[in-house]
Amino acid sequence: MQKRKLGKTNLEVSALGLGCMGLSFGFGPPVDKTEGISLIRAAVERGVTFFDTAEVYGPYTNEETRRRRPRSFRNQVAIATKFGWKIDPSTGKQAGLDSRPAHIKDVADASLKRLKNQRHRFVLSHRVDPNVPIEDVAGAVKS
């Protein structure tokens, strides 16, 4: 599997990644968790080290399934998670955009708990929020 270095960092990931949205959201009913874990294991065994998830997938359940990856994979893979959606807590549905710095921090903290990680390799903006200056978003993501 070819590798790529991301940006100006030393983080190297597989050139081919696995977008995990379809395991719990968007393309019919969620995949059985055991099947999802088997798929992730097979991807890692084939050299995939970049996985993409987001709180909005499920919502929340996609990140929870990613945390069930085998512990032996923990240092081999980079999991990207995304922010940008406001999720209505009573319905679990998307309720607009929210990229305010405080919300980004809340999303990142909650994601770490769901993934059972101590830090994120990287966090991405899922959608541009026209109500928040890009400088504010960039500052929040760097901290």
Side-chain angles (χ1 to χ4, degrees), residues 39-49 51 69-70 73 76-77:
L39 174 68
I40 292 167
R41 181 184 301 272
V44 172
E45 289 169 356
R46 288 164 176 79
V48 175
T49 62
F51 295 85
R69 69 199 178 279
F73 293 173
Q76 295 177 25
V77 301

Side-chain angles (χ1 to χ4, degrees), residues 14-35:
S14 56
L16 179 67
L18 177 63
C20 298
M21 180 182 86
L23 297 177
S24 63
F25 180 82
F27 299 114
V31 172
D32 175 76
K33 287 182 182 175
T34 303
E35 289 178 27

Side-chain angles (χ1 to χ4, degrees), residues 37 40-41 66-74:
I37 292 166
I40 292 167
R41 181 184 301 272
R66 301 301 70 72
R67 82 171 176 219
R68 290 183 176 89
R69 69 199 178 279
R71 289 200 186 280
S72 60
F73 293 173
R74 197 168 292 248

Side-chain angles (χ1 to χ4, degrees), residues 46-60:
R46 288 164 176 79
V48 175
T49 62
F50 174 61
F51 295 85
D52 173 82
T53 186
E55 70 166 353
V56 74
Y57 302 156
Y60 313 117

